[in-house]
């Protein structure tokens, strides 16, 4: 019984170690992730600073600041 438990535990430990070895991104994946994040930020910035969206956000902020307590 003890030998079976020990063998199962070794198998689990081997699997965990194998997963850990390939857990992170390599440099090229990291760079592509940064490029994608920057591209998304640029698109989001353009949308938020466009005329209608900026006016709507400004209206929301003004209403929030004019609220009575």
């Amino acid at each position: 019984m003890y030998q079976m438990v020990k063998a199962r535990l070794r198998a689990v430990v081997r699997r965990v170690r194998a997963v850990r070895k390939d857990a992170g991104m390599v440099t090229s994946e990291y760079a592509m992730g940064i490029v994608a994040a920057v591209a998304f930020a640029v698109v989001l910035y353009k949308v938020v600073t466009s005329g209608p969206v900026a006016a709507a956000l400004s209206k929301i902020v003004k209403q929030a600041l004019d609220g009575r307590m």
Side-chain angles (χ1 to χ4, degrees):
M1 177 81 175
Y2 174 74
Q3 294 298 330
M4 278 184 9
V5 172
K6 192 174 177 182
R8 294 272 271 198
L9 185 59
R10 277 191 200 141
V12 171
V13 169
R14 270 189 243 123
R15 282 189 218 137
V16 169
R17 286 183 182 161
V19 170
R20 273 198 220 158
K21 286 181 183 177
D22 194 27
M25 291 192 301
V26 295
T27 305
S28 60
E29 291 172 337
Y30 186 70
M32 291 303 294
I34 290 175
V35 168
V38 169
F40 180 73
V42 168
V43 170
L44 186 61
Y45 176 77
K46 290 291 187 181
V47 168
V48 170
T49 57
S50 68
V53 176
L57 289 174
S58 178
K59 182 180 174 185
I60 291 170
V61 171
K62 284 181 183 175
Q63 286 177 348
L65 294 176
D66 288 340
R68 294 185 185 251
M69 296 180 112

Coordinates of all heavy atoms in Angstrom, one line a residue:
M1 N 0.8 -1.2 0.0 CA 0.0 0.0 0.0 C 0.9 1.3 0.0 O 0.6 2.2 -0.7 CB -0.9 -0.1 1.2 CG -1.8 1.1 1.4 SD -3.2 1.0 0.3 CE -4.1 2.4 0.8
Y2 N 1.9 1.3 0.8 CA 2.8 2.4 0.9 C 3.5 2.7 -0.4 O 3.6 3.8 -0.8 CB 3.8 2.2 2.1 CG 4.9 3.3 2.2 CD1 4.5 4.5 2.7 CD2 6.2 3.0 1.7 CE1 5.5 5.5 2.7 CE2 7.1 4.0 1.8 CZ 6.8 5.2 2.3 OH 7.7 6.2 2.4
Q3 N 3.9 1.6 -1.1 CA 4.6 1.8 -2.4 C 3.7 2.4 -3.4 O 4.1 3.2 -4.2 CB 5.1 0.4 -2.8 CG 6.2 -0.2 -2.0 CD 7.4 0.7 -1.9 OE1 7.8 1.4 -2.8 NE2 8.1 0.7 -0.8
M4 N 2.4 2.0 -3.4 CA 1.5 2.6 -4.4 C 1.3 4.1 -4.1 O 1.2 4.9 -5.1 CB 0.1 1.9 -4.3 CG 0.1 0.6 -5.1 SD -1.5 -0.3 -5.1 CE -2.7 0.8 -4.4
V5 N 1.1 4.4 -2.9 CA 0.9 5.9 -2.6 C 2.2 6.6 -2.9 O 2.1 7.7 -3.5 CB 0.6 6.0 -1.1 CG1 0.6 7.5 -0.7 CG2 -0.7 5.4 -0.7
K6 N 3.3 6.1 -2.7 CA 4.6 6.8 -3.0 C 4.7 6.9 -4.5 O 5.1 8.0 -5.0 CB 5.7 5.9 -2.4 CG 7.1 6.6 -2.4 CD 8.1 5.8 -1.7 CE 9.5 6.4 -1.8 NZ 10.5 5.6 -1.1
A7 N 4.4 5.9 -5.3 CA 4.5 6.0 -6.7 C 3.5 7.0 -7.3 O 3.8 7.8 -8.2 CB 4.2 4.6 -7.3
R8 N 2.3 7.1 -6.7 CA 1.3 8.1 -7.2 C 1.8 9.5 -6.8 O 1.6 10.4 -7.6 CB -0.1 7.8 -6.5 CG -0.8 6.6 -6.8 CD -1.6 6.8 -8.0 NE -2.9 7.2 -7.7 CZ -3.9 7.1 -8.6 NH1 -3.6 6.6 -9.7 NH2 -5.1 7.6 -8.3
L9 N 2.3 9.7 -5.7 CA 2.8 11.0 -5.3 C 4.0 11.4 -6.2 O 4.0 12.6 -6.6 CB 3.3 10.9 -3.8 CG 3.8 12.3 -3.2 CD1 2.6 13.3 -3.3 CD2 4.2 12.1 -1.8
R10 N 4.9 10.5 -6.5 CA 6.0 10.8 -7.5 C 5.4 11.3 -8.8 O 5.9 12.2 -9.4 CB 6.9 9.6 -7.7 CG 7.9 9.5 -6.6 CD 8.9 8.5 -7.0 NE 9.6 8.0 -5.8 CZ 10.0 6.7 -5.6 NH1 9.8 5.8 -6.5 NH2 10.6 6.4 -4.5
A11 N 4.4 10.6 -9.3 CA 3.8 10.9 -10.6 C 3.2 12.3 -10.6 O 3.3 13.1 -11.5 CB 2.7 9.9 -11.0
V12 N 2.5 12.6 -9.5 CA 1.9 14.0 -9.3 C 3.0 15.0 -9.3 O 2.9 16.1 -10.0 CB 1.0 14.0 -8.1 CG1 0.6 15.4 -7.8 CG2 -0.2 13.1 -8.2
V13 N 4.0 14.8 -8.6 CA 5.1 15.8 -8.5 C 5.8 16.0 -9.8 O 6.1 17.1 -10.2 CB 6.2 15.3 -7.4 CG1 7.4 16.1 -7.5 CG2 5.5 15.4 -6.0
R14 N 6.0 14.9 -10.6 CA 6.5 15.0 -11.9 C 5.7 15.9 -12.8 O 6.1 16.7 -13.6 CB 6.7 13.6 -12.5 CG 8.1 13.1 -12.2 CD 8.4 11.8 -13.0 NE 8.5 10.7 -12.1 CZ 7.8 9.6 -12.0 NH1 6.9 9.3 -12.9 NH2 8.0 8.7 -11.1
R15 N 4.3 15.6 -12.7 CA 3.4 16.4 -13.6 C 3.5 17.9 -13.2 O 3.5 18.8 -14.1 CB 2.0 15.9 -13.4 CG 1.8 14.7 -14.2 CD 0.3 14.3 -14.2 NE 0.2 12.9 -14.1 CZ -0.7 12.2 -13.4 NH1 -1.5 12.8 -12.6 NH2 -0.7 10.9 -13.4
V16 N 3.5 18.2 -11.9 CA 3.5 19.6 -11.5 C 4.8 20.2 -11.9 O 4.8 21.4 -12.4 CB 3.4 19.7 -9.9 CG1 3.7 21.1 -9.4 CG2 2.0 19.2 -9.5
R17 N 5.9 19.6 -11.8 CA 7.2 20.1 -12.3 C 7.2 20.3 -13.8 O 7.8 21.3 -14.3 CB 8.4 19.2 -11.8 CG 8.6 19.3 -10.4 CD 9.8 18.5 -10.0 NE 10.1 18.5 -8.5 CZ 10.8 17.7 -7.9 NH1 11.3 16.6 -8.5 NH2 10.9 17.8 -6.6
A18 N 6.6 19.4 -14.5 CA 6.6 19.6 -16.0 C 5.8 20.8 -16.4 O 6.1 21.5 -17.3 CB 6.0 18.3 -16.6
V19 N 4.7 21.0 -15.7 CA 3.8 22.2 -16.0 C 4.6 23.5 -15.6 O 4.5 24.5 -16.4 CB 2.5 22.1 -15.2 CG1 1.7 23.4 -15.3 CG2 1.7 20.9 -15.7
R20 N 5.3 23.5 -14.5 CA 6.0 24.7 -14.1 C 7.1 25.1 -15.1 O 7.4 26.3 -15.3 CB 6.6 24.5 -12.8 CG 5.7 24.8 -11.6 CD 6.6 25.0 -10.4 NE 5.9 24.4 -9.3 CZ 6.4 24.0 -8.2 NH1 7.7 24.1 -8.0 NH2 5.8 23.4 -7.2
K21 N 7.7 24.1 -15.8 CA 8.8 24.4 -16.7 C 8.4 25.3 -17.8 O 9.1 26.1 -18.4 CB 9.5 23.1 -17.2 CG 10.3 22.4 -16.2 CD 10.9 21.2 -16.8 CE 11.7 20.4 -15.7 NZ 12.2 19.1 -16.2
D22 N 7.1 25.1 -18.3 CA 6.6 25.8 -19.4 C 5.5 26.8 -19.0 O 4.5 26.9 -19.7 CB 6.2 24.8 -20.5 CG 6.0 25.5 -21.8 OD1 6.6 26.5 -22.1 OD2 5.1 25.0 -22.6
A23 N 5.6 27.4 -17.9 CA 4.5 28.2 -17.4 C 4.5 29.7 -17.9 O 3.5 30.3 -17.9 CB 4.5 28.2 -15.8
G24 N 5.6 30.2 -18.3 CA 5.7 31.6 -18.7 C 5.8 31.8 -20.2 O 5.8 30.9 -21.0
M25 N 5.7 33.1 -20.6 CA 5.8 33.4 -22.0 C 7.3 33.6 -22.3 O 8.1 34.0 -21.5 CB 5.1 34.8 -22.2 CG 3.6 34.7 -22.1 SD 2.8 36.1 -22.8 CE 3.4 37.5 -21.8
V26 N 7.6 33.3 -23.5 CA 9.0 33.5 -24.0 C 9.0 35.0 -24.5 O 8.0 35.7 -24.6 CB 9.4 32.6 -25.2 CG1 9.4 31.2 -24.7 CG2 8.4 32.7 -26.3
T27 N 10.2 35.5 -24.7 CA 10.4 36.9 -25.0 C 9.6 37.4 -26.2 O 9.0 38.4 -26.2 CB 11.9 37.2 -25.3 OG1 12.6 36.7 -24.2 CG2 12.2 38.6 -25.5
S28 N 9.5 36.6 -27.3 CA 8.7 37.0 -28.5 C 7.3 37.1 -28.1 O 6.6 38.0 -28.6 CB 9.0 36.0 -29.6 OG 8.6 34.7 -29.3
E29 N 6.7 36.1 -27.3 CA 5.3 36.2 -26.9 C 5.1 37.4 -26.1 O 4.0 38.1 -26.2 CB 4.9 34.9 -26.2 CG 4.9 33.7 -27.1 CD 4.7 32.4 -26.3 OE1 5.0 32.4 -25.1 OE2 4.2 31.5 -26.9
Y30 N 6.0 37.7 -25.2 CA 5.9 38.9 -24.3 C 5.8 40.1 -25.1 O 5.0 41.0 -24.9 CB 7.1 38.9 -23.3 CG 7.0 39.9 -22.3 CD1 6.1 39.9 -21.3 CD2 7.9 41.0 -22.3 CE1 6.0 40.8 -20.3 CE2 7.8 42.0 -21.3 CZ 6.9 41.9 -20.3 OH 6.8 42.9 -19.4
A31 N 6.7 40.2 -26.1 CA 6.8 41.4 -27.0 C 5.5 41.6 -27.8 O 4.9 42.7 -27.9 CB 8.0 41.3 -28.0
M32 N 5.0 40.5 -28.3 CA 3.7 40.5 -29.1 C 2.5 40.9 -28.2 O 1.6 41.7 -28.6 CB 3.4 39.2 -29.8 CG 4.4 38.9 -30.9 SD 4.4 40.2 -32.2 CE 2.8 40.0 -32.8
G33 N 2.6 40.5 -26.9 CA 1.5 40.9 -26.0 C 1.6 42.4 -25.7 O 0.5 43.0 -25.6
I34 N 2.8 42.9 -25.6 CA 2.9 44.3 -25.3 C 2.4 45.1 -26.5 O 1.7 46.1 -26.4 CB 4.4 44.7 -25.0 CG1 4.7 44.2 -23.6 CG2 4.6 46.2 -25.0 CD1 6.1 44.4 -23.2
V35 N 2.8 44.7 -27.7 CA 2.3 45.4 -28.9 C 0.8 45.4 -29.0 O 0.2 46.4 -29.4 CB 3.0 44.8 -30.2 CG1 2.3 45.3 -31.5 CG2 4.5 45.0 -30.2
A36 N 0.2 44.2 -28.7 CA -1.3 44.2 -28.8 C -1.9 45.0 -27.7 O -2.9 45.7 -28.0 CB -1.7 42.7 -28.6
A37 N -1.3 45.1 -26.6 CA -1.9 46.0 -25.5 C -1.8 47.4 -25.9 O -2.7 48.2 -25.6 CB -1.2 45.7 -24.2
V38 N -0.7 47.8 -26.5 CA -0.5 49.2 -26.9 C -1.4 49.6 -28.0 O -2.0 50.7 -28.0 CB 1.0 49.5 -27.3 CG1 1.2 50.8 -28.0 CG2 1.9 49.4 -26.1
A39 N -1.6 48.7 -28.9 CA -2.6 48.9 -30.0 C -4.0 49.1 -29.5 O -4.7 50.0 -29.9 CB -2.5 47.8 -31.0
F40 N -4.4 48.2 -28.6 CA -5.7 48.4 -27.9 C -5.8 49.7 -27.2 O -6.9 50.3 -27.3 CB -5.9 47.2 -27.0 CG -7.3 47.2 -26.3 CD1 -8.4 47.0 -27.0 CD2 -7.4 47.6 -25.0 CE1 -9.7 47.0 -26.4 CE2 -8.6 47.6 -24.4 CZ -9.8 47.3 -25.1
A41 N -4.8 50.1 -26.5 CA -4.8 51.4 -25.8 C -4.9 52.5 -26.7 O -5.7 53.5 -26.4 CB -3.5 51.5 -24.9
V42 N -4.3 52.5 -27.9 CA -4.4 53.6 -28.8 C -5.8 53.7 -29.4 O -6.4 54.8 -29.5 CB -3.4 53.4 -30.0 CG1 -3.7 54.3 -31.1 CG2 -2.0 53.6 -29.5
V43 N -6.4 52.5 -29.7 CA -7.8 52.5 -30.2 C -8.7 53.0 -29.2 O -9.6 53.9 -29.4 CB -8.2 51.1 -30.7 CG1 -9.7 51.0 -31.0 CG2 -7.4 50.7 -31.9
L44 N -8.6 52.6 -27.9 CA -9.4 53.1 -26.8 C -9.3 54.6 -26.6 O -10.3 55.3 -26.4 CB -9.1 52.3 -25.6 CG -10.0 52.6 -24.4 CD1 -11.4 52.2 -24.7 CD2 -9.5 51.8 -23.1
Y45 N -8.1 55.1 -26.7 CA -7.8 56.5 -26.5 C -8.5 57.3 -27.6 O -9.1 58.3 -27.4 CB -6.3 56.8 -26.5 CG -6.0 58.2 -26.5 CD1 -6.0 58.9 -25.3 CD2 -5.6 59.0 -27.6 CE1 -5.7 60.3 -25.2 CE2 -5.3 60.3 -27.6 CZ -5.4 61.0 -26.3 OH -5.1 62.3 -26.3
K46 N -8.4 56.8 -28.9 CA -9.1 57.5 -30.0 C -10.6 57.5 -29.8 O -11.2 58.5 -30.1 CB -8.7 56.8 -31.3 CG -7.3 57.0 -31.7 CD -7.0 58.5 -32.1 CE -5.7 58.7 -32.7 NZ -5.4 60.0 -33.0
V47 N -11.1 56.4 -29.3 CA -12.6 56.4 -29.1 C -13.0 57.3 -28.0 O -14.0 58.1 -28.1 CB -13.0 54.9 -28.8 CG1 -14.5 54.9 -28.3 CG2 -12.9 54.1 -30.0
V48 N -12.3 57.3 -26.9 CA -12.7 58.1 -25.7 C -12.5 59.6 -26.0 O -13.3 60.4 -25.6 CB -11.9 57.7 -24.5 CG1 -12.0 58.7 -23.4 CG2 -12.3 56.3 -24.1
T49 N -11.5 60.0 -26.8 CA -11.3 61.4 -27.1 C -12.0 61.9 -28.3 O -11.9 63.1 -28.7 CB -9.8 61.7 -27.3 OG1 -9.3 60.9 -28.4 CG2 -9.0 61.4 -26.0
S50 N -12.8 61.0 -29.0 CA -13.7 61.5 -30.1 C -14.7 62.4 -29.6 O -15.1 62.4 -28.4 CB -14.3 60.3 -30.8 OG -15.2 59.7 -30.0
G51 N -15.3 63.3 -30.4 CA -16.2 64.3 -30.1 C -17.4 63.8 -29.3 O -17.7 64.3 -28.1
P52 N -18.2 62.9 -29.8 CA -19.5 62.5 -29.1 C -19.2 61.8 -27.8 O -19.9 62.0 -26.8 CB -20.1 61.5 -30.1 CG -19.5 61.8 -31.4 CD -18.2 62.3 -31.1
V53 N -18.2 60.9 -27.7 CA -17.8 60.2 -26.5 C -17.3 61.2 -25.4 O -17.7 61.1 -24.3 CB -16.8 59.1 -26.8 CG1 -16.4 58.4 -25.5 CG2 -17.4 58.1 -27.7
A54 N -16.4 62.1 -25.8 CA -15.9 63.1 -24.9 C -17.0 64.0 -24.3 O -17.0 64.3 -23.1 CB -14.8 64.0 -25.6
A55 N -18.0 64.4 -25.2 CA -19.1 65.2 -24.7 C -20.0 64.4 -23.7 O -20.4 64.9 -22.7 CB -19.9 65.6 -25.9
A56 N -20.2 63.1 -24.0 CA -21.0 62.3 -23.1 C -20.3 62.1 -21.8 O -20.9 62.2 -20.7 CB -21.3 60.9 -23.8
L57 N -19.0 61.8 -21.8 CA -18.3 61.7 -20.6 C -18.2 63.0 -19.8 O -18.4 63.0 -18.5 CB -16.8 61.2 -20.8 CG -16.7 59.8 -21.3 CD1 -15.3 59.5 -21.7 CD2 -17.2 58.8 -20.3
S58 N -18.1 64.1 -20.5 CA -18.1 65.4 -19.8 C -19.4 65.7 -19.1 O -19.5 66.2 -18.0 CB -17.8 66.5 -20.8 OG -17.8 67.8 -20.2
K59 N -20.5 65.3 -19.8 CA -21.9 65.5 -19.3 C -22.0 64.6 -18.0 O -22.6 65.1 -17.0 CB -22.9 65.1 -20.3 CG -24.3 65.3 -19.9 CD -25.3 64.9 -21.0 CE -26.7 64.9 -20.5 NZ -27.7 64.4 -21.5
I60 N -21.6 63.4 -18.0 CA -21.7 62.5 -16.9 C -20.9 63.1 -15.7 O -21.4 63.1 -14.6 CB -21.2 61.1 -17.2 CG1 -22.1 60.4 -18.2 CG2 -21.0 60.2 -16.0 CD1 -21.6 59.1 -18.8
V61 N -19.7 63.6 -15.9 CA -18.9 64.1 -14.8 C -19.6 65.4 -14.3 O -19.6 65.6 -13.0 CB -17.5 64.4 -15.3 CG1 -16.7 65.2 -14.3 CG2 -16.8 63.1 -15.7
K62 N -20.1 66.2 -15.1 CA -20.8 67.4 -14.6 C -22.0 67.1 -13.8 O -22.2 67.7 -12.8 CB -21.2 68.3 -15.8 CG -20.0 69.1 -16.4 CD -20.5 69.9 -17.6 CE -19.3 70.6 -18.2 NZ -19.7 71.4 -19.4
Q63 N -22.8 66.1 -14.2 CA -23.9 65.7 -13.5 C -23.5 65.1 -12.1 O -24.2 65.4 -11.1 CB -24.7 64.7 -14.2 CG -25.5 65.2 -15.4 CD -26.3 64.1 -16.1 OE1 -26.0 62.9 -15.9 NE2 -27.2 64.5 -17.0
A64 N -22.4 64.4 -12.1 CA -22.0 63.8 -10.8 C -21.5 64.9 -9.9 O -21.7 64.8 -8.6 CB -20.8 62.8 -11.1
L65 N -20.8 65.9 -10.4 CA -20.3 67.0 -9.5 C -21.4 68.0 -9.1 O -21.2 68.6 -8.1 CB -19.2 67.7 -10.3 CG -17.9 67.0 -10.5 CD1 -16.9 67.8 -11.3 CD2 -17.3 66.5 -9.2
D66 N -22.5 68.1 -9.9 CA -23.6 69.0 -9.5 C -24.6 68.4 -8.5 O -25.5 69.0 -8.1 CB -24.3 69.4 -10.7 CG -23.5 70.4 -11.6 OD1 -22.5 71.0 -11.0 OD2 -23.8 70.6 -12.8
G67 N -24.4 67.1 -8.2 CA -25.3 66.4 -7.3 C -25.3 67.0 -5.9 O -24.3 67.5 -5.4
R68 N -26.5 67.1 -5.3 CA -26.7 67.6 -4.0 C -26.5 66.5 -2.9 O -26.8 65.4 -3.2 CB -28.0 68.2 -3.8 CG -28.2 69.4 -4.7 CD -29.5 70.1 -4.4 NE -29.8 71.2 -5.3 CZ -29.7 72.4 -4.9 NH1 -29.5 72.8 -3.7 NH2 -29.9 73.4 -5.8
M69 N -26.0 66.9 -1.8 CA -25.7 66.0 -0.7 C -26.7 66.1 0.3 O -27.2 67.1 0.7 CB -24.3 66.1 -0.2 CG -23.3 65.8 -1.2 SD -21.7 66.0 -0.5 CE -21.1 64.3 -0.4

